[in-house]
Amino acid sequence: MGRKLDPTIKVKRGPGRKARKQKGAETELSKFLVDDDGPKKLSSRSRKRAVKRAQVTKEPKQEEKPKKGFTDENSKWLKPAPRKRKIEQSEEDEDSDSQWEEDDDEEGFDKKEMEEEEEEDDDDMVDDYGADEGDEQDSDGEELLPIERAARKQKKQTSKKPESDDDDDDDDDDDEEKDDLKEDGEEEEDTVQANIDETEQFKLPAAAERAKEGLLAMDLQTIHQRIRDNVDVLSHFSEKREEGKERSEYLSLLRSDLCTYYSYNEFLISKLMDLFPVSELIDFLEANEIQRPVTIRTNTLKTRRRDLAQALINRGVNLDPLGKWSKVGLVIYDSSVPIGATPEYLSGQYMLQGASSFLPVMALSPQEGESVLDMSAAPGGKTTYMAQLMRNTGMIVANDANADRLKSVVGNIHRLGVTNAVICNYDGRQFPKVMGGFDRVLLDAPCSGTGVISKDPGVKTGKDEADILRSAHLQKELILSAIDSVNADSPTGGYLVYCTCSIMVEENEWVVDYALKKRNVKLVPTGLDFGKEGFIRFKERRFHPSLKLSRRFYPHSQNMDGFFVAKLKKLSNAIPSAPRERDEEESSKTETAASSEQIQNPESKQQKPNSTPEKSNMGQKQKLKPKKSETPIITKKTGVKAENKKPDGAKKAKIAKLDGETSKKNEKPDKMQKVKELNGDSTKEVVMEKKEGSQFEKKNEMKRKNLLKNNTNRMGKNKFRKLKSMVGQ
Amino acid sequence: MRPLTDEETKTMFEKLSKYIGENIKLLIDRPDGTYCFRLHNDRLYYMSDKILKLATNISRDKLVSVGTCFGKFTKTQKFRLHITALDFLAPYAKFKVWVKPGSEQSFLYGNHIMKSGLGRITENTAQYQGVVVFSMADVPLGFGVAAKTTQECRKVDPMSIVVFHQADIGEYIRSEDTLT
């Protein structure tokens, strides 16, 4: 015998040379989870089914392609098993169409489910293909654990997702999943049922599907692919669209995908979708992900671009001139020394500044000896550029509302050797009161920053409607103050440049349009020959056609921060008190000096209602006496009659006092009567003052008054003001 | 903003003349207009009269800076010269010191200049004389006080300090806040 071999004591032996190790559950499972690509032993039933599959797939395939728009380019990652689902889907497409239309409708969904269930049952009878895992499993005789089944199901779901570039596909998938779930519910109840319940609940509202996707944690690659396909379909919509699917469905999917992929909030993405066509939108979003190149501006007060470039190259900086549009700009590609700390920087030979910030100063082009205001100066790049253009002559007022940021202005001004600057800390809206009469004004208004997302990604999620409107409101106030600070009669200037680092129409064209309406200004060419023209119309808004002269810059087209520049010229220092849109006023007014004076006088009287308007009375007496002055009043009044109202009380008072004071002329009562005829209203003042007049007049007045009193309403304050302003112009 | 008192004017001129000697009058009478000094929040500002007129419109608490700030008066009425005055001191400087490229950075960090870093120095520099520091490319870097006379500089060992640091352009980054 020899060695005792005790079978009870089994000596564990390690794997022999030829032993194959079992790798672990995951790897084992993966064999199951792999779709039917892998070599799979088919039982007889499954073989039969495969044959049937092959027959059926031929037909729908042809249908599918034109419908789905999935051309061969996508066939790489289209997997057969999921495709089977698609075949099923295509059959149900009509149903899914109807389902889409009733997206939000619970009933619709329920109906759909019912239909599908029925169909599914039929399909089962017909011994259908891959969609039903449960059947497959049973028939194959493979015993998969519930968890394996669930895993496989999930795998199929995820593989389905990337294939579909259309909403409908997703929804179809979801429908299918649902159906599958329902059918398999019996078998997979416990583990998967919870998930099913959740997804069913989410499905019912419109965004259900997306929410589900959130649960499933789609990877960015697939979202990106879906975005690209969606854009492709949208660009060639008539050819590539799915029948019955609305453009809005594609757009809404695109919107949510963009939000997820680029991490924006819905509001901002919607705004951007309004601004850009879809393909450009993608470029814009991509451009916002990367930084714009670093640019510097040579300080020509201390050095020349050539010398500076040489010095920096010697330090090991890789640079190039910025472009033919700038003589002082340099773009830095890379550098071995920190660009913000070289001795050249410290001695003020250049300034780090974004390329887009050159533009408003170039547009403004301040001349030597002028007085210039920079209303929102921090951190001082534009101020110092203006100073160097003016060669340190004239004077610059650099203002900013934020005292902390002013420190950087001080620093930069001293470092760059600017001597003609005064720095102050006012709110820009106070400006015309502090100082006015500047030759040129630059307003780089505080904005939402949607053009500089690459510098500050917080804008992507932090901005909403209220922020934009708040900024727009502030900008409107600032631009009016800026306009009022410009001296229109300046011999060399009279210009204002308004710029923002935002691309929103509400902050750009709308604000400039508002300024055009409120003040005597007009747009002039900026002098920048590149960039996109400003919008004349946008969605429901219509802007003045001269907005074409403003310029927009984008990160994806000009490779600089998003920017908007508009140059305005002030035409006159007078502030129009009434909105200039009212053409009626202007046409009804007779523009004789006398009449305008006379109109003004009653106005001024009204402004001091109770103070004795004797002075103006005297003045008016003189005006009233000459006959020709009367006619203007009357003609004016006939014109105004249509609008009915006339600032009355004081005028009547004047007339009454005239009557009382001066010798009575025949004209005057006539005049008075005419005045009264025209005036629909009578006021209490009139009653009192009329007492002074002649009896004859009084009687008439009383009569008329009585008559009139019946009809009149007291004119309200606002109406009165409105009238006053209408007449005053 | 107010004009300087006599006392303050004296102190200030003394300080300035340490660096630029009697060239001070060149600062006041300039071909392109008269310039003047004004005091605001204990800081001395140098500006032309045109800017002065403009600045009077601005209220005191809102005014941050006018023209160029030269320095400030301390609580005990001593005058301290800031780096922001460099542009005006440098062209009129009487005594200059040139720093070698290797020690430039060291000076810009606020260190004193050692003999090893000394490139050139004007002849006849007295001890404790105010000097303006330049780089070899004639870019003004700051100013300081000569620790040794020119003669002594030749003899002394390489590790000893020859110029005391007072102000350098690196302060634009290091102490931006103190400029205002």
Side-chain angles (χ1 to χ4, degrees):
Chain A
M1 282 258 209
R3 236 185 291 144
K4 285 180 194 171
L5 186 66
D6 191 353
T8 54
I9 308 167
K10 216 172 185 185
V11 179
K12 274 195 178 167
R13 281 190 257 172
R17 263 186 310 157
K18 297 184 181 175
R20 280 191 191 161
K21 277 192 182 165
Q22 198 177 50
K23 284 163 198 161
E26 282 179 50
T27 45
E28 295 297 311
L29 269 179
S30 66
K31 292 182 199 162
F32 301 120
L33 293 178
V34 165
D35 290 319
D36 305 312
D37 294 337
K40 195 177 182 188
K41 278 190 184 170
L42 297 176
S43 67
S44 62
R45 272 250 185 109
S46 52
R47 264 182 268 132
K48 282 182 202 163
R49 242 189 267 129
V51 169
K52 253 197 182 146
R53 225 179 287 147
Q55 289 172 359
V56 183
T57 44
K58 285 177 193 167
E59 305 156 16
K61 239 187 192 173
Q62 291 148 14
E63 295 169 23
E64 207 186 317
K65 274 181 184 171
K67 271 189 186 178
K68 302 284 164 106
F70 265 112
T71 54
D72 305 321
E73 52 197 80
N74 297 317
S75 57
K76 301 175 227 168
W77 41 268
L78 268 179
K79 291 177 183 136
R83 205 179 237 183
K84 290 173 215 162
R85 287 190 194 276
K86 275 210 176 156
I87 295 157
E88 208 176 23
Q89 285 170 36
S90 66
E91 291 179 341
E92 299 163 359
D93 259 353
E94 294 84 282
D95 299 322
S96 59
D97 287 355
S98 60
Q99 187 242 314
W100 259 109
E101 275 139 32
E102 301 173 72
D103 229 0
D104 294 334
D105 204 343
E106 290 190 14
E107 295 172 349
F109 267 96
D110 291 336
K111 281 184 208 159
K112 174 81 172 123
E113 288 157 30
M114 296 287 284
E115 287 167 23
E116 285 184 327
E117 267 178 33
E118 288 165 33
E119 280 183 40
E120 287 280 12
D121 292 335
D122 290 338
D123 291 340
D124 286 343
M125 303 271 280
V126 178
D127 210 356
D128 201 28
Y129 25 92
D132 306 336
E133 287 175 322
D135 293 341
E136 215 171 26
Q137 287 165 21
D138 293 338
S139 53
D140 289 346
E142 298 171 66
E143 283 171 8
L144 296 175
L145 301 169
I147 186 153
E148 291 172 347
R149 274 184 241 128
R152 180 195 260 175
K153 183 173 242 76
Q154 199 177 45
K155 181 82 186 189
K156 281 196 173 165
Q157 286 173 2
T158 51
S159 64
K160 257 187 276 167
K161 291 286 179 289
E163 300 159 19
S164 52
D165 67 345
D166 301 338
D167 291 342
D168 50 76
D169 284 350
D170 285 341
D171 264 315
D172 290 336
D173 290 341
D174 299 332
D175 290 341
E176 280 219 324
E177 289 166 60
K178 260 188 123 182
D179 300 326
D180 294 334
L181 291 168
K182 283 207 168 172
E183 288 174 18
D184 302 333
E186 302 141 27
E187 297 167 34
E188 306 172 18
E189 262 153 359
D190 296 329
T191 49
V192 191
Q193 196 61 40
N195 293 339
I196 296 168
D197 285 341
E198 284 174 47
T199 54
E200 280 181 13
Q201 284 166 17
F202 282 130
K203 186 79 186 293
L204 297 169
E209 163 216 66
R210 318 263 167 70
K212 198 198 296 184
E213 289 174 12
L215 288 173
L216 291 176
M218 293 185 57
D219 65 303
L220 288 177
Q221 279 249 344
T222 50
I223 299 182
H224 189 56
Q225 185 60 48
R226 194 162 74 178
I227 291 173
R228 276 192 288 167
D229 296 329
N230 203 340
V231 171
D232 191 44
V233 171
L234 285 169
S235 324
H236 310 282
F237 198 61
S238 42
E239 299 121 44
K240 295 196 180 173
R241 64 178 292 179
E242 176 96 26
E243 274 166 25
K245 300 290 177 278
E246 295 297 320
R247 193 183 177 90
S248 57
E249 292 157 9
Y250 289 91
L251 285 174
S252 66
L253 178 68
L254 182 64
R255 186 170 296 132
S256 60
D257 279 344
L258 290 174
C259 290
T260 326
Y261 188 69
Y262 292 105
S263 356
Y264 282 74
N265 61 358
E266 284 267 347
F267 167 74
L268 199 54
I269 282 283
S270 311
K271 283 278 174 186
L272 294 173
M273 284 180 89
D274 293 332
L275 270 170
F276 299 110
V278 182
S279 49
E280 220 186 311
L281 177 63
I282 304 294
D283 292 337
F284 175 78
L285 294 171
E286 284 292 335
N288 280 337
E289 297 298 311
I290 53 174
Q291 298 285 341
R292 304 271 76 70
V294 175
T295 51
I296 62 175
R297 186 196 84 236
T298 323
N299 180 16
T300 51
L301 292 173
K302 293 200 171 180
T303 184
R304 284 181 305 200
R305 181 163 76 162
R306 218 179 312 145
D307 303 334
L308 174 66
Q310 193 56 50
L312 285 176
I313 288 172
N314 290 341
R315 291 208 182 268
V317 179
N318 195 356
L319 50 79
D320 250 350
L322 185 52
K324 56 181 158 69
W325 53 272
S326 169
K327 293 205 192 87
V328 294
L330 287 165
V331 58
I332 308 288
Y333 296 120
D334 54 60
S335 159
S336 49
V337 292
I339 273 289
T342 60
E344 284 78 28
Y345 176 80
L346 294 171
S347 57
Q349 292 180 28
Y350 65 88
M351 166 119 190
L352 281 167
Q353 188 171 31
S356 49
S357 301
F358 291 38
L359 303 169
V361 182
M362 285 166 59
L364 187 65
S365 56
Q367 306 300 316
E368 293 188 27
E370 287 188 336
S371 65
V372 183
L373 168 65
D374 187 351
M375 276 179 105
S376 209
K382 300 190 185 72
T383 315
T384 47
Y385 192 6
M386 288 199 285
Q388 86 184 47
L389 287 179
M390 291 159 68
R391 310 294 312 159
N392 256 337
T393 60
M395 43 200 161
I396 300 182
V397 176
N399 175 63
D400 200 89
N402 184 342
D404 291 327
R405 298 192 73 208
L406 272 179
K407 291 192 182 152
S408 54
V409 182
V410 174
N412 282 323
I413 280 185
H414 284 103
R415 188 171 58 80
L416 274 80
V418 173
T419 54
N420 62 345
V422 177
I423 306 169
C424 54
N425 178 21
Y426 281 103
D427 182 340
R429 295 171 279 191
Q430 298 170 21
F431 237 93
K433 288 191 217 106
V434 173
M435 244 191 297
F438 289 98
D439 291 318
R440 292 178 201 243
V441 175
L442 173 66
L443 172 57
D444 181 10
C447 63
S448 59
T450 45
V452 287
I453 293 176
S454 52
K455 281 189 195 156
D456 177 21
V459 171
K460 285 189 205 175
T461 48
K463 298 293 172 184
D464 65 342
E465 185 74 33
D467 289 325
I468 306 279
L469 290 176
R470 206 180 308 131
S471 300
H473 181 77
L474 175 62
Q475 286 154 358
K476 286 177 184 159
E477 292 183 313
L478 283 172
I479 201 174
L480 290 187
S481 303
I483 293 173
D484 295 335
S485 307
V486 181
N487 177 16
D489 307 322
S490 147
T492 55
Y495 292 103
L496 159 74
V497 165
Y498 172 79
C499 62
T500 61
C501 56
S502 163
I503 49 166
M504 292 285 148
V505 175
E506 286 84 359
E507 295 177 303
N508 296 339
E509 282 89 352
W510 198 28
V511 172
V512 177
D513 194 59
Y514 173 82
L516 289 175
K517 289 186 189 143
K518 286 275 186 180
R519 293 284 187 275
N520 291 322
V521 289
K522 70 168 188 184
L523 272 160
V524 295
T526 54
L528 305 165
D529 54 359
F530 62 109
K532 187 162 181 257
E533 290 174 358
F535 295 130
I536 300 193
R537 53 184 181 78
F538 181 74
K539 284 168 81 177
E540 74 276 3
R541 297 209 182 95
R542 296 289 174 269
F543 304 123
H544 196 275
S546 63
L547 253 307
K548 258 197 175 177
L549 296 170
S550 60
R551 286 282 178 268
R552 286 174 153 262
F553 301 91
Y554 295 126
H556 59 284
S557 41
Q558 281 84 27
N559 198 15
M560 56 176 68
D561 296 318
F563 222 71
F564 171 81
V565 182
K567 185 172 181 182
L568 297 145
K569 171 132 177 66
K570 191 165 178 183
L571 300 169
S572 105
N573 279 327
I575 296 177
S577 50
R580 292 162 78 227
E581 300 156 49
R582 298 263 195 123
D583 292 324
E584 344 160 43
E585 301 167 23
E586 293 168 19
S587 58
S588 68
K589 285 173 201 160
T590 54
E591 303 267 338
T592 59
S595 60
S596 56
E597 280 171 2
Q598 279 157 342
I599 294 155
Q600 274 168 13
N601 283 330
E603 271 186 46
S604 64
K605 268 202 204 164
Q606 284 144 23
Q607 284 159 16
K608 314 156 198 166
N610 293 325
S611 63
T612 52
E614 276 179 331
K615 269 190 251 169
S616 43
N617 264 344
M618 297 301 291
Q620 274 157 8
K621 260 189 257 172
Q622 291 157 8
K623 283 170 195 163
L624 284 169
K625 277 167 190 170
K627 268 211 171 182
K628 64 179 173 182
S629 61
E630 296 168 26
T631 45
I633 297 176
I634 293 161
T635 51
K636 189 205 181 334
K637 283 189 185 164
T638 49
V640 177
K641 198 179 186 180
E643 298 159 50
N644 187 31
K645 310 297 193 279
K646 185 75 177 102
D648 309 82
K651 192 146 198 175
K652 285 181 184 166
K654 158 195 104 180
I655 292 163
K657 283 207 172 152
L658 281 171
D659 289 340
E661 290 164 6
T662 61
S663 57
K664 279 156 196 156
K665 295 181 180 178
N666 293 331
E667 304 160 348
K668 281 186 187 162
D670 294 338
K671 230 188 297 153
M672 272 173 56
Q673 285 171 9
K674 278 177 192 161
V675 170
K676 270 168 219 158
E677 279 165 2
L678 292 166
N679 296 328
D681 304 338
S682 63
T683 59
K684 279 186 180 168
E685 287 173 34
V686 174
V687 178
M688 295 192 354
E689 282 148 7
K690 292 311 168 223
K691 282 175 188 166
E692 296 173 33
S694 70
Q695 277 200 345
F696 172 75
E697 291 162 4
K698 252 191 193 170
K699 277 184 193 167
N700 289 335
E701 285 160 356
M702 293 301 288
K703 279 187 194 166
R704 227 164 271 109
K705 229 186 297 149
N706 290 333
L707 289 171
L708 291 170
K709 249 186 183 173
N710 298 333
N711 321 344
T712 55
N713 305 317
R714 276 197 79 100
M715 189 163 42
K717 209 185 352 173
N718 286 330
K719 254 188 184 168
F720 180 82
R721 234 189 263 145
K722 191 171 79 167
L723 240 198
K724 182 175 83 171
S725 55
M726 271 165 46
V727 170
Q729 203 60 15
Chain B
M1 211 165 43
R2 62 174 177 82
L4 294 172
T5 63
D6 288 337
E7 285 273 327
E8 288 162 351
T9 323
K10 205 165 66 130
T11 329
M12 193 259 295
F13 275 10
E14 265 176 27
K15 192 72 185 237
L16 280 181
S17 57
K18 272 194 195 165
Y19 294 91
I20 58 179
E22 63 281 345
N23 292 335
I24 293 180
K25 53 173 136 40
L26 289 171
L27 277 181
I28 305 201
D29 312 316
R30 274 165 62 156
D32 54 338
T34 33
Y35 281 66
C36 54
F37 291 96
R38 285 290 179 273
L39 208 66
H40 175 65
N41 288 347
D42 284 336
R43 282 174 191 266
L44 181 76
Y45 292 99
Y46 174 72
M47 67 200 81
S48 78
D49 52 359
K50 283 181 271 162
I51 312 271
L52 177 64
K53 266 192 285 178
L54 194 68
T56 50
N57 295 330
I58 302 175
S59 64
R60 239 176 250 173
D61 52 348
K62 303 285 192 186
L63 184 64
V64 173
S65 168
V66 194
T68 318
C69 172
F70 261 43
K72 69 184 227 187
F73 282 95
T74 61
K75 293 228 168 67
T76 52
Q77 297 310 313
K78 294 201 178 50
F79 182 64
R80 187 177 188 76
L81 206 59
H82 278 183
I83 187 63
T84 46
L86 186 63
D87 285 340
F88 295 95
L89 298 183
Y92 305 122
K94 287 181 79 174
F95 297 100
K96 302 181 185 175
V97 168
W98 284 261
V99 170
K100 286 190 194 150
S103 320
E104 240 177 56
Q105 280 296 108
S106 160
F107 179 66
L108 291 181
Y109 275 104
N111 301 320
H112 303 300
I113 304 180
M114 291 193 290
K115 166 83 189 303
S116 54
L118 189 66
R120 268 158 59 188
I121 184 164
T122 8
E123 214 40 49
N124 297 327
T125 318
Q127 201 179 24
Y128 306 130
Q129 170 73 45
V131 293
V132 178
V133 178
F134 290 82
S135 76
M136 288 320 265
D138 270 334
V139 173
L141 296 178
F143 40 86
V145 174
K148 307 266 189 280
T149 63
T150 317
Q151 301 285 36
E152 284 174 27
C153 282
R154 292 201 190 106
K155 288 183 248 174
V156 86
D157 67 298
M159 291 326 265
S160 63
I161 296 173
V162 291
V163 175
F164 293 124
H165 166 282
Q166 287 215 313
D168 69 273
I169 50 181
E171 280 172 23
Y172 282 118
I173 301 180
R174 291 202 315 271
S175 43
E176 224 180 54
D177 299 335
T178 57
L179 290 175
T180 305

